[in-house]
Amino acid sequence: MSTIEMKSIIKKFPPATIALDNVNFSVKEGEIHCLLGENGAGKTTLMNVLYGLVKADSGDVFVGDKLVKIDSPKDAIELGIGMVHQHFSLVPTNSVAENIALGHPSVSFLFPLKKVKKTIETLSERYGLSVNPDAMIWQLSAGEQQRVEILKVISKNPRILILDEPTTILTPQEIKNLFQALRQMATEGRTIIFITHKLDEVMAVGDRVSVLKQGKLVKTLETVKTNKQRLAGLMIGRAVLFRLKKPGIRPSKVVLEVSEICALNDRGLPALKHVSFYVRENEILGVAGVAGNGQSELIEVLTGLRKAIKGSVIILGKDVSNQSPKNVADAGVAHIPEKRIRIGIVGDLSVADNLILREYRKTPFSKRIFLKKDFIEKHANKLVKEYNIITPSISTPAKLLSGGNIQRLIVARELQGQPKLIVASHPTYGLDVAATEQIRRWLLKQRELGVAVLLISEDLDEIFSISDRIAVIFEGTMMATVDADEANLEDIGMMMAGIRIE
């Protein structure tokens, strides 16, 4: 029996985008059903229709055997449907407990947070999603905010649970724990719809998998009867290299030297404790760690967004400690930020304008106080083509692009001007396999060109795939740095948990 059945779903967005093209999709009771597709394939739109965030132009939705009308998330929640969104829907100025309490049906009028905090503690322990109930959302890293989103939904005990890229910033152990919890939910009769771009996750947790491409359902398969290569081919129409070839290049001179850096977090507590490391030309240094262990503060110190209280940052022999972001950028530092929408772009500006944010003051983009519009348009069209940025036009506001295309825009902008150092934070977060492969290729190409790359990521597959050396950060301290060829997953995972390896 199908718990969910969506029949002939069509959704068009103006002026002429067909997001869902006559999609028929069904999920059985008690199964984990994975939903695959490139960025823009229609996965999230289909689930937004089911959750009441988007109204389909035509088609029917059945929950059980009953034809239902879902006009809002309230309708969906009343039907027992919960959704963990890829992009956070939290109130930044409220605490973790307050966010989870908002709209929660079981919260009492008197002392509402007491029960919520107890729920958070219980679920955190059960699913390995540790988070401080009293912390303000704006103080949390992206990984910690993702945990809050998961806790907020599962605290309502939904019958049907939709998860949109929920594991991107979780550690291997946290992912394992989450999968165990999802399997238990499915065993109890709950239905799980799991959107992911990670094919390993499909094979590890999915009972069945449906592939969407350009708004159409390509195929639904049992995971035990397929493999990653076939699924990737269905998604993008060609073979995907899951392990990129990394040319053997001997690193040369030191580009970035970080010495004894100490910094505070937004709560005034120590976030970085005497951090020291270096990155050389022709080298990618991967920094692994659980979200919230100082990665965000480290990136901000390196790019001029946060002051260090001690230590130095040297780039090609020049001290840029506590310099402004402009001065750091002028020293040859490119920054691919973790929070691509909040920090990486100015959403209301056009694609063309976002592509020149680093260089708009300089020739040939401007002359005295005037921008040279003709040259900017030519430059933007060139980058849109070169980096395969899918956009209606270069005049389109950047905020209207999909996540994958926003990331391509940021990478295109940051790689212009021959940077000496690239600080890349979670550069493939939330992206499909094709976009992930392309961005990793671009980083490897920069390595070949002599650029030093600092890669911060919780995706250990990414860290192992393209890094030359791997450093592990835990509670603001560098645990160790090892050659990637000599590293193993178990040791890295143990150091991420704070256990030093002799």
Side-chain angles (χ1 to χ4, degrees):
M1 171 181 163
S2 293
T3 300
I4 295 291
E5 191 166 5
M6 306 179 76
K7 294 184 177 181
S8 304
I9 303 296
I10 295 175
K11 179 61 186 176
K12 299 178 182 178
F13 292 109
T17 301
I18 302 176
L20 297 172
D21 189 358
N22 203 39
V23 173
N24 294 293
F25 175 73
S26 63
V27 187
K28 298 176 182 178
E29 182 178 344
E31 78 167 340
I32 299 177
H33 196 119
C34 295
L35 196 55
L36 277 176
E38 293 185 88
N39 294 115
K43 310 182 300 298
T44 300
T45 301
L46 183 65
M47 290 301 98
N48 282 342
V49 169
L50 179 58
Y51 193 61
L53 288 169
V54 170
K55 187 173 178 59
D57 297 321
S58 63
D60 296 316
V61 177
F62 293 82
V63 176
D65 293 326
K66 183 180 179 182
L67 176 64
V68 297
K69 187 178 182 182
I70 305 176
D71 291 327
S72 69
K74 181 176 181 291
D75 295 337
I77 291 168
E78 289 176 351
L79 290 166
I81 302 171
M83 184 170 183
V84 178
H85 302 277
Q86 180 182 2
H87 297 298
F88 309 138
S89 56
L90 302 170
V91 181
T93 53
N94 283 6
S95 70
V96 170
E98 288 167 340
N99 270 271
I100 291 177
L102 287 171
H104 201 293
S106 65
V107 172
S108 61
F109 179 76
L110 295 175
F111 309 108
L113 297 184
K114 184 176 181 180
K115 183 175 180 180
V116 170
K117 288 181 181 180
K118 180 63 177 176
T119 300
I120 293 171
E121 291 170 1
T122 301
L123 293 175
S124 294
E125 183 177 351
R126 180 178 178 183
Y127 299 129
L129 302 171
S130 177
V131 67
N132 179 3
D134 295 315
M136 306 302 285
I137 295 299
W138 65 269
Q139 296 173 323
L140 302 181
S141 69
E144 291 168 316
Q145 291 183 35
Q146 178 69 289
R147 295 176 211 166
V148 177
E149 287 282 13
I150 295 172
L151 290 169
K152 183 174 70 173
V153 175
I154 62 177
S155 69
K156 299 175 184 177
N157 197 25
R159 243 176 358 106
I160 300 155
L161 179 62
I162 306 165
L163 301 107
D164 192 355
E165 305 281 2
T167 66
T168 307
I169 325 179
L170 302 180
T171 67
Q173 186 58 46
E174 288 172 329
I175 293 171
K176 182 179 178 181
N177 291 343
L178 177 62
F179 286 177
Q180 288 174 345
L182 295 179
R183 181 57 61 195
Q184 181 62 36
M185 290 180 190
T187 301
E188 294 169 354
R190 293 181 177 88
T191 300
I192 313 294
I193 303 173
F194 191 97
I195 302 173
T196 178
H197 68 278
K198 298 180 180 180
L199 298 176
D200 286 329
E201 294 182 355
V202 174
M203 305 309 296
V205 76
D207 297 307
R208 291 194 298 157
V209 54
S210 291
V211 181
L212 283 174
K213 183 175 176 62
Q214 296 178 350
K216 295 182 179 181
L217 183 66
V218 178
K219 204 168 189 64
T220 297
L221 299 162
E222 294 182 40
T223 53
V224 294
K225 296 180 180 178
T226 189
N227 56 51
K228 293 197 301 181
Q229 288 72 22
R230 185 182 181 191
L231 291 174
L234 291 172
M235 284 174 63
I236 64 175
R238 65 171 176 83
V240 173
L241 295 177
F242 293 99
R243 286 286 177 177
L244 298 175
K245 291 184 178 179
K246 187 173 61 181
I249 304 173
R250 184 180 296 275
S252 51
K253 67 179 181 181
V254 172
V255 174
L256 170 67
E257 185 174 4
V258 176
S259 180
E260 294 292 317
I261 282 290
C262 297
L264 304 177
N265 63 20
D266 292 330
R267 285 169 273 177
L269 301 174
L272 299 175
K273 306 166 187 175
H274 305 283
V275 170
S276 299
F277 62 91
Y278 62 88
V279 192
R280 298 167 291 185
E281 290 180 344
N282 304 111
E283 179 180 56
I284 298 177
L285 173 64
V287 178
V290 180
N293 277 278
Q295 299 96 315
S296 297
E297 290 83 1
L298 175 60
I299 294 160
E300 290 170 359
V301 167
L302 296 180
T303 55
L305 295 170
R306 182 181 297 270
K307 301 294 185 183
I309 59 175
K310 183 180 179 182
S312 62
V313 178
I314 309 294
I315 297 175
L316 291 173
K318 179 181 179 181
D319 191 340
V320 297
S321 308
N322 293 335
Q323 293 288 308
S324 68
K326 178 181 180 299
N327 289 344
V328 172
D330 289 343
V333 179
H335 180 202
I336 302 172
E338 173 184 4
K339 298 173 183 176
R340 61 181 69 124
I341 295 175
R342 279 184 55 192
I343 297 176
I345 62 169
V346 180
D348 291 328
L349 291 183
S350 69
V351 169
D353 288 341
N354 272 275
L355 284 167
I356 62 164
L357 285 179
R358 281 177 60 93
E359 307 289 338
Y360 71 91
R361 303 178 185 87
K362 304 175 183 177
T363 305
F365 300 106
S366 63
K367 186 175 182 180
R368 297 196 179 111
I369 62 172
F370 298 103
L371 292 174
K372 297 173 69 175
K373 291 291 186 180
D374 289 345
F375 186 86
I376 291 170
E377 289 180 8
K378 182 179 178 181
H379 174 77
N381 283 318
K382 174 178 175 293
L383 292 185
V384 164
K385 182 177 180 181
E386 181 179 346
Y387 286 85
N388 192 30
I389 303 169
I390 300 173
T391 176
S393 78
I394 61 171
S395 300
T396 299
K399 66 183 179 183
L400 299 182
L401 272 57
S402 70
N405 286 301
I406 287 175
Q407 191 71 333
R408 289 188 179 96
L409 184 157
I410 293 169
V411 172
R413 180 187 68 223
E414 295 299 312
L415 297 189
Q416 301 307 299
Q418 299 179 325
K420 305 299 181 185
L421 168 69
I422 298 171
V423 179
S425 178
H426 310 90
T428 61
Y429 164 59
L431 304 185
D432 59 59
V433 290
T436 295
E437 178 195 54
Q438 187 60 71
I439 286 175
R440 290 176 183 172
R441 284 185 185 276
W442 286 330
L443 292 178
L444 286 171
K445 180 63 176 178
Q446 292 298 308
R447 168 184 176 268
E448 290 182 46
L449 294 174
V451 178
V453 180
L454 179 66
L455 170 66
I456 293 91
S457 178
E458 280 102 20
D459 185 339
L460 290 185
D461 182 64
E462 181 163 81
I463 291 285
F464 275 84
S465 177
I466 65 175
S467 298
D468 297 288
R469 290 184 298 131
I470 300 173
V472 178
I473 189 169
F474 175 75
E475 293 186 347
T477 301
M478 285 297 187
M479 299 290 287
T481 302
V482 298
D483 288 338
D485 292 339
E486 299 174 1
N488 66 71
L489 185 62
E490 182 179 354
D491 286 348
I492 296 297
M494 290 179 67
M495 286 190 284
M496 288 170 66
I499 302 170
R500 292 190 180 275
I501 305 299
E502 300 298 333

